[in-house]
Amino acid sequence: MKLAVNIDHIATLREARGEIEPDPVIAAGICEFAGAEGIVCHLREDRRHINDRDVRLLREVVKTKLDLEMAATDEMVKIACEVLPDLVTLVPENRKELTTEGGLNIEPMKDRLKDVISELSDKEIFVSLFLDPDPKNVDLALEVGADIIEIHTGKYANSVTEDAQIAELGKIGAVARMASELDLVVTAGHGLNYYNIFPFLNIPEIREVSIGHSIMSRAVFTGLQKAVEDMVKIVAKF
Ligand code: PXP
């Protein structure tokens, strides 16, 4: 399994003081140096952490794979078509949320997603959809032309009982197998940390995990390179 590191929170810290440091572009280099195989950043409408300058510079320095997370808006599609990340992950966006709260609800925006995915694909950008682990999302993802689905693991991560966690893991595994059989690439992310990631050992269809908050939290104490190396060691076992 591969690790993609979400560096948004480096920019969150920068924006907390409106300063120029810490720089997420430097963070991206350290993450790659430590073994990350992808860098993820979310350009939000309100630019609360990552900004346009970051995305453009990241495109220049990231050597592994740049995944631009964004809402399917005209503004973001235009930026993606100019910057040309390797991958775009389409997520729902809500101004009041602290972090992405749920997966995309494809059905009401099917036509919009088809257009956006086709425009991005014309620029040779792969498109991933961030989806809750519901089997109906797999068919819808195929219908709108996605290459990849990123399964939202937030509910798994936030489960308070073991039974709820096992049930959620079962749903994630079923959707991963179904999507993989239909030739969609499957990744997962949200709320994953150094402890709750281990059960994913049993879901080989998940090729990559996208992790931000837990790595950045550990980095405060260990340094970013060590925090990424520790997670790379875990995911490399899968
Ligand atoms: N994947 C997606 C689509 C996300 O929106 C986020 C959060 O920005 C993550 C993965 C990473 O989640 P976390 O920061 O909880 O590891």
Side-chain angles (χ1 to χ4, degrees), residues 102-126:
L104 276 174
N105 184 6
I106 303 179
E107 189 70 54
M109 57 186 305
K110 243 174 17 188
D111 291 337
R112 171 72 189 159
L113 284 174
K114 276 184 193 165
D115 290 347
V116 167
I117 293 173
S118 140
E119 199 172 336
L120 295 169
S121 302
D122 283 349
K123 295 278 182 189
E124 297 184 353
I125 301 169
F126 290 105

Side-chain angles (χ1 to χ4, degrees), residues 6 8-9 40 42 44 49 67 69 89-92 99-101 130 150-153 188-193 209-215:
N6 181 310
D8 292 349
H9 292 310
V40 189
H42 185 173
R44 284 180 168 271
H49 37 55
D67 177 357
E69 243 184 78
T89 298
L90 295 174
V91 296
T99 179
T100 315
E101 278 168 357
F130 188 47
E150 178 179 340
I151 302 178
H152 192 332
T153 51
H190 213 284
L192 297 178
N193 61 38
V209 282
S210 169
I211 306 181
H213 190 260
S214 67
I215 291 178

Side-chain angles (χ1 to χ4, degrees), residues 39-200:
I39 300 297
V40 189
C41 65
H42 185 173
L43 186 65
R44 284 180 168 271
E45 183 199 21
D46 62 8
R47 311 300 197 264
R48 72 169 76 149
H49 37 55
I50 294 291
N51 61 33
D52 301 60
R53 164 265 184 205
D54 299 333
V55 176
R56 286 174 210 286
L57 284 181
L58 285 166
R59 174 60 300 175
E60 291 193 28
V61 306
V62 167
K63 296 178 196 66
T64 52
K65 180 180 69 180
L66 179 63
D67 177 357
L68 176 61
E69 243 184 78
M70 57 181 229
T73 60
D74 287 343
E75 183 201 15
M76 291 300 154
V77 172
K78 183 167 179 285
I79 292 171
C81 289
E82 284 164 13
V83 173
L84 302 177
D86 301 286
L87 167 70
V88 157
T89 298
L90 295 174
V91 296
E93 209 173 284
N94 164 0
R95 280 183 204 173
K96 292 202 186 105
E97 69 193 358
L98 282 178
T99 179
T100 315
E101 278 168 357
L104 276 174
N105 184 6
I106 303 179
E107 189 70 54
M109 57 186 305
K110 243 174 17 188
D111 291 337
R112 171 72 189 159
L113 284 174
K114 276 184 193 165
D115 290 347
V116 167
I117 293 173
S118 140
E119 199 172 336
L120 295 169
S121 302
D122 283 349
K123 295 278 182 189
E124 297 184 353
I125 301 169
F126 290 105
V127 182
S128 174
L129 301 181
F130 188 47
L131 301 173
D132 293 325
D134 178 340
K136 78 171 184 307
N137 281 333
V138 176
D139 293 326
L140 287 166
L142 277 174
E143 196 183 329
V144 296
D147 304 292
I148 303 163
I149 62 162
E150 178 179 340
I151 302 178
H152 192 332
T153 51
K155 207 163 163 199
Y156 160 79
N158 293 329
S159 297
V160 281
T161 64
E162 206 181 329
D163 282 354
Q165 200 176 42
I166 290 169
E168 203 53 34
L169 202 59
K171 285 189 208 162
I172 294 170
V175 166
R177 278 185 287 280
M178 183 180 164
S180 169
E181 275 164 19
L182 293 168
D183 285 337
L184 283 163
V185 173
V186 182
T187 68
H190 213 284
L192 297 178
N193 61 38
Y194 296 85
Y195 309 101
N196 67 14
I197 191 161
F198 285 95
F200 284 82

